[in-house]
Amino acid sequence: MTDCIFCKIIDGEIPSKKIYEDELIYAFEDINAQAPVHFLVIPKKHIKSIDDIDTEDENLIGKIFTKIKEIAKAEGLDNGYRVVINCKDDGGQTVDHLHFHILGGRSLNWPPG
Ligand code: 5GP
Ligand code: ZN
């Protein structure tokens, strides 16, 4: 049993709007979209945060970026997009399962607040 909401989403215990799935990765729409396109890409392996990535995860993290590029293209983000990873409290992380926010479909402000 896990208390992690993203592990529950991967297991189908909590419903989600799936965008992509393979044996290592799951992608789904963010429930509180901050841009016209806002989805999350997560490893199926429960890794808590960037600070918990191990050397054995390096291939997985690399694959996630290759997939982000492919999914962004499939979602029509030809004009660009932003990838955000919030890490722990000061980074604004609220779900303790590593996730990559993909935001696009409008011009995004920089720097963030
Ligand atoms: P964080 O603040 O940890 O970087 O981002 C967590 C993200 O997960 C937030 O953007 C939030 O809207 C999203 N989120 C939280 N709970 C759920 C959920 O149950 N379903 C979906 N689809 N997104 C969620
Ligand atoms: Zn998890």
Side-chain angles (χ1 to χ4, degrees), residues 2-8 10 42-48 95-98:
T2 173
D3 277 341
C4 171
I5 58 170
F6 285 179
C7 282
K8 286 180 176 168
I10 292 163
I42 62 177
K44 288 189 170 176
K45 178 181 177 185
H46 180 87
I47 299 170
K48 277 206 295 201
V95 178
D96 289 338
H97 182 129
L98 179 66

Side-chain angles (χ1 to χ4, degrees), residues 11 22 25 28 30 42 46 61 65 74 87 94-95 103 109 111:
D11 290 345
D22 63 27
I25 295 162
F28 57 106
D30 195 295
I42 62 177
H46 180 87
I61 300 302
F65 275 99
C87 183
T94 59
V95 178
L103 299 134
N109 299 326

Side-chain angles (χ1 to χ4, degrees), residues 9-10 15-22 25-29 39 44 75:
I9 282 176
I10 292 163
S16 66
K17 290 189 180 165
K18 179 166 88 173
I19 292 180
Y20 175 83
E21 180 175 18
D22 63 27
I25 295 162
Y26 191 84
F28 57 106
E29 288 180 15
F39 60 90
K44 288 189 170 176
E75 293 296 307

Side-chain angles (χ1 to χ4, degrees), residues 5-6 9 14 28-32 38 40 86 92-95 99 101:
I5 58 170
F6 285 179
I9 282 176
I14 295 175
F28 57 106
E29 288 180 15
D30 195 295
I31 204 166
N32 184 21
H38 183 180
L40 303 172
N86 297 323
Q93 183 173 7
T94 59
V95 178
H99 51 282
H101 294 259

